[in-house]
Amino acid sequence: MNYEQAHEKFIAQHLASRTGERRGRLERGHGHAEKLFLQNVWWPLRGDFNNLHPEYEVLDLQRRAYFADFAFLPGPIKLLFEIKGYAAHVRDMDRLKYCNELNRETFL
């Protein structure tokens, strides 16, 4: 299976198992930068998407939901990956969004 086929299957499987905001975040959040990361970094290193979860929800102590771009969960170890796209993290940022983003990053 080549990258394009594997990626399509990977996203379809995660979309099929999600509802509500978790599904919406995957539909809206899996953009250009995330796809480039998978194609140019993850796929050459791993060759599969096993144990990788896109737009992974993490709840803070007040039960607020934060979403990491990817979580790699191969067992007891948990690794979160954040891909910093230009638009969402720089171009479209105001002071309040910047403050919220810093809090989210600190928590994650």
Side-chain angles (χ1 to χ4, degrees):
M1 184 179 306
N2 66 27
Y3 166 78
E4 288 80 17
Q5 294 167 326
H7 180 262
E8 187 175 318
K9 181 179 176 185
F10 169 66
I11 295 300
Q13 286 175 333
H14 283 276
L15 284 171
S17 68
R18 297 179 183 195
T19 59
E21 182 60 14
R22 290 182 182 127
R23 182 183 175 98
R25 289 296 291 228
L26 181 53
E27 291 170 336
R28 294 185 314 271
H30 191 72
H32 182 70
E34 290 80 8
K35 291 174 186 172
L36 284 176
F37 168 76
L38 291 178
Q39 184 175 12
N40 296 323
V41 178
W42 191 266
W43 187 258
L45 288 173
R46 301 272 311 167
D48 63 43
F49 298 118
N50 296 339
N51 301 310
L52 188 66
H53 301 270
E55 294 299 323
Y56 186 76
E57 184 178 27
V58 179
L59 298 177
D60 72 5
L61 297 175
Q62 283 87 34
R63 312 273 308 147
R64 286 180 296 208
Y66 292 101
F67 288 84
D69 290 328
F70 298 100
F72 181 56
L73 309 172
I77 296 172
K78 296 177 182 178
L79 297 174
L80 297 179
F81 293 92
E82 275 296 303
I83 310 305
K84 295 301 221 177
Y86 174 73
H89 296 286
V90 178
R91 186 190 69 204
D92 301 335
M93 192 73 61
D94 62 18
R95 287 183 183 194
L96 181 59
K97 288 180 183 176
Y98 180 73
C99 181
N100 290 339
E101 180 65 11
L102 286 179
N103 288 335
R104 185 182 81 84
E105 288 175 353
T106 300
F107 171 73
L108 290 175

